[in-house]
Amino acid sequence: MRKNSLKRIFASLAMTAVATASIAAVPAFAEGEESTTDPNAAEETTAEETAAEETTEEESVGIGPQADGSYRFIDGTVLTEAEIAASEGKPVISVPTIEVNEKEAAGKKVAVTLSVSGTTPWASSGIHLFYDEKLTLDVKSNGKVNYEEGEAVADLEQKLVKENEADLAKGVFFTSGATADYGTNGAMYTVYFTLPADAKAGDVYGLNLTYVENDCFTNQAKDKAMEAYAFTHLVSGAIKVVGEATAAPTTAATTAAPTTAAPTTTAPKNDAPHTGVAGVGAAVAGLAVAAGAAFVLRKKED
C-alpha cells in the first residue's frame, strides 16, 4: 500500500514536470502544399479549434494564487484570504538573496538553499524555482542535478530534484513524498549555480519561486488551507554582485585660527584703603591732608 501510494504521488508530480516542460507544436504546411479546398470545412475546423481553445483557457485560468489573495484549487474549491490566514500550518517556502563580492564573482559557484519555516508536519511537495538564464545549474557527470538534502526532508521516503523548463524559462523542480507527515521545518534542498565569467558589480540574477499548476505542499490529511498558505507566501531571492565597500570620506579636524590676545595693562599700585567703591580711598586721603594743613595754619595765627 505504501509503495502504491508513493507511486501515485510521483506519477502525479512527474506529470507536472512533463506538462511544464512541453511546448505547444504549431502545425504548418510545407511550402507549396495546399490546405483543404472546402471553405465550409475550413470554417468548421476553425470553429472547432476556437471552441477547444476557449474550453482549455476556461479550465486552466485561475488555478492557484489569485490577485485578491484567495486561492483556487483544480477541483474548483476557493479559499479566501481570511480562510488562508486562519490555517494552523503557515508554511513559508523561500530561497535567499545572496551577495557576492565582485572580486570573486566571475565563474563563482554559489550554493542556494530552498527552505521552509512556520509549517506543521507535512508529507508531499512539488515546488518550481526558475532562475536567470545567465546562471548555470550545477549537474553531475551523469546529467543529474547536483543537490544536497536538508533536515526538513531527511525522513521523507522519496525525493527528487530535476531540471525543468517552462515557457522557455530555466528551472528546477523539487519534489518529495512520504506515507506519513515526516516533513519538518528547515532546509529542504541545496543546489548550486555558477555565475557567468563577465559577472560584475550591479548584476542581479533572479531566483524566482513560482506556482505551476499541480504544484503542492500538503500533509496526509490534504489540508487545503496549509497548501494555499504555502503558495500565497512564496519568498523569491536573487544573487547580487556587489562592489567593494567604500569608506565614507573623513574630514580632518580644522585647526582653529590663531587669536591675538589683547595686551594686558597692569594698573599702578594703589595703597589707598579699600572701601568697596573705586576712587573713594584716594579722596579720603586727600581730605585728611587738607585738614592737617588747616590745623597747622590756625595754630600759627594763635
Side-chain angles (χ1 to χ4, degrees):
M1 290 298 291
R2 286 189 175 183
K3 289 184 178 179
N4 290 336
S5 176
L6 289 173
K7 285 182 179 179
R8 285 195 296 273
I9 291 171
F10 275 84
S12 175
L13 294 173
M15 289 177 64
T16 298
V18 171
T20 56
S22 64
I23 299 176
V26 180
F29 291 100
E31 185 176 354
E33 185 177 347
E34 295 183 358
S35 61
T36 176
T37 56
D38 184 350
N40 293 326
E43 290 177 1
E44 289 177 4
T45 301
T46 301
E48 289 174 359
E49 290 176 348
T50 301
E53 289 175 0
E54 290 176 351
T55 301
T56 302
E57 288 177 0
E58 288 177 0
E59 290 176 351
S60 62
V61 167
I63 303 301
Q66 305 296 301
D68 62 358
S70 63
Y71 188 92
R72 181 183 297 275
F73 291 85
I74 294 176
D75 64 4
T77 302
V78 176
L79 295 184
T80 66
E81 185 175 11
E83 290 172 327
I84 295 170
S87 171
E88 179 183 356
K90 292 178 169 58
V92 175
I93 300 170
S94 64
V95 287
T97 293
I98 301 168
E99 292 188 349
V100 178
N101 189 287
E102 63 177 335
K103 287 188 174 181
E104 58 182 19
K108 181 179 178 61
K109 184 182 291 187
V110 180
V112 174
T113 300
L114 177 75
S115 301
V116 62
S117 62
T119 187
T120 50
W122 55 280
S124 303
S125 66
I127 302 163
H128 282 83
L129 170 67
F130 295 101
Y131 58 92
D132 192 296
E133 63 180 6
K134 293 181 180 179
L135 296 174
T136 301
L137 179 65
D138 192 40
V139 297
K140 300 176 182 179
S141 57
N142 60 6
K144 294 184 178 180
V145 176
N146 178 26
Y147 73 93
E148 296 175 7
E149 300 172 4
E151 65 269 24
V153 300
D155 295 330
L156 300 181
E157 295 143 329
Q158 297 290 335
K159 285 149 280 192
L160 175 67
V161 177
K162 64 176 294 182
E163 289 186 86
N164 176 250
E165 289 190 12
D167 297 329
L168 305 182
K170 291 185 176 182
V172 186
F173 182 53
F174 304 91
T175 184
S176 56
T179 55
D181 296 332
Y182 299 141
T184 63
N185 286 295
M188 298 175 70
Y189 301 98
T190 296
V191 292
Y192 301 87
F193 294 99
T194 300
L195 300 180
D198 61 353
K200 60 186 181 303
D203 289 346
V204 179
Y205 306 98
L207 302 169
N208 302 309
L209 289 172
T210 305
Y211 172 82
V212 175
E213 190 170 317
N214 286 322
D215 278 359
C216 68
F217 187 87
T218 189
N219 52 22
Q220 286 296 305
K222 306 298 181 187
D223 185 343
K224 289 182 179 294
M226 183 176 78
E227 182 166 291
Y229 194 99
F231 290 106
T232 53
H233 291 79
L234 294 173
V235 179
S236 295
I239 300 174
K240 296 182 177 181
V241 181
V242 297
E244 287 289 327
T246 304
T250 56
T251 304
T254 304
T255 303
T259 57
T260 304
T264 303
T265 303
T266 304
K269 186 176 181 181
N270 188 353
D271 294 328
H274 297 285
T275 62
V277 180
V280 172
V284 170
L287 288 173
V289 172
F295 176 76
V296 171
L297 288 175
R298 186 178 296 118
K299 194 153 187 180
K300 284 182 177 180
E301 290 176 357
D302 293 343

